[in-house]
Amino acid sequence: MMPTPENFIPHPVGFYARNTIDVARDLLGCYLVRNIGAKMMAGKIVEVEAYLGESDPACHAAAGKTKRTKIFWGRPGVAYIFLIYGAHYCLNVITMPEGEAGCVLIRALEPLLGVEAMAHWRSAREGSETIANGPGKLCRALSIDLSLNGMDLTSEQSPLYIVSGDVQSPAIETTKRIGVTKAPESLLRYTIKDNRFCSR
DNA sequence: CGGGGGATTACCT
DNA sequence: GGTAATCCCCCGA
């Protein structure tokens, strides 16, 4: 059963103040909501990756606290956004209780609301399956950039937030993370099994 | 202040 | 399958 915008309920901070792997798996099937003025876009989260903080070489937090990474040790449930290859943004959610580091990378969405707007931002006339099937593509589709870094994803007042999704929890497939050069063998990528909107 | 790294994507053969 | 594009961030000097 799919929620409608009237029933969009953001997760409380406590949802994110937990073990990163649990949060990652629980985010599958939830909805990412983007408001620009009166326009709403939303998509179901179908692919994520867990980054386990200081002990995970692939996690930016492994470099220690810097201007860019100090957000990891701050309040959970906020957006961590960075620019990669000078061209694409990646959207993460900060996890773990305050004082501990971790995040979940949102890697793909199944477009649900405002699909035409997403196609517009992407300058894509293709089918909806490829509009947001990658971390850079979904940021482009939802017009997400560094100006949203640090945004609270637990509030409906935010231009970007996450809400509870499908009532039934999905079957989950576990694989290696994509594209990472450090710790490439770790099985920390989670997808909704057989969902056509995942990357690859 | 210069240089290299990077969790990607699109477009080429 | 291979690779160029492109820039913020971090580090070392």
Side-chain angles (χ1 to χ4, degrees):
Chain A
M1 180 108 176
M2 170 185 159
T4 56
E6 301 76 50
N7 300 325
F8 278 175
I9 304 168
H11 297 296
V13 176
F15 176 89
Y16 301 99
R18 296 184 291 141
N19 175 280
T20 303
I21 292 174
D22 292 338
V23 177
R25 296 173 65 94
D26 289 347
L27 279 173
L28 291 175
C30 296
Y31 300 150
L32 178 65
V33 182
R34 173 79 167 110
N35 286 318
I36 301 177
K39 293 270 190 179
M40 175 180 281
M41 294 180 277
K44 180 159 81 173
I45 297 170
V46 298
E47 174 179 343
V48 297
E49 284 175 0
Y51 288 86
L52 306 183
E54 294 161 280
S55 64
D56 178 1
C59 183
H60 289 174
K65 283 187 192 177
T66 66
K67 175 184 161 197
R68 176 206 224 179
T69 64
K70 63 178 191 289
I71 192 170
F72 273 91
W73 288 267
R75 184 177 175 281
V78 306
Y80 167 53
I81 299 165
F82 64 90
L83 177 69
I84 187 83
Y85 298 113
H88 310 284
Y89 298 103
C90 290
L91 171 66
N92 304 259
V93 195
I94 295 299
T95 59
M96 302 288 284
E98 196 157 338
E100 298 175 63
C103 74
V104 174
L105 170 68
I106 313 292
R107 283 195 56 92
L109 300 178
E110 176 178 337
L112 292 176
L113 296 174
V115 182
E116 285 187 9
M118 293 187 202
H120 164 75
W121 288 112
R122 280 262 291 134
S123 307
R125 284 185 294 124
E126 332 158 20
S128 64
E129 288 184 17
T130 56
I131 287 181
N133 66 334
K137 291 182 186 179
L138 79 85
C139 284
R140 182 67 59 91
L142 298 187
S143 190
I144 293 168
D145 61 22
L146 283 183
S147 69
L148 296 177
N149 190 32
M151 197 64 59
D152 178 16
L153 301 180
T154 69
S155 168
E156 282 177 292
Q157 311 297 83
S158 283
L160 185 67
Y161 56 94
I162 297 172
V163 301
S164 305
D166 302 341
V167 173
Q168 194 164 0
S169 41
I172 298 175
E173 195 157 24
T174 303
T175 65
K176 296 173 188 175
R177 292 180 292 193
I178 293 179
V180 294
T181 57
K182 298 163 186 165
E185 301 301 317
S186 299
L187 299 172
L188 293 171
R189 173 174 175 257
Y190 306 100
T191 57
I192 294 182
K193 192 168 168 48
D194 298 326
N195 185 284
R196 310 190 316 278
F197 298 85
C198 294
S199 68
R200 298 274 157 116

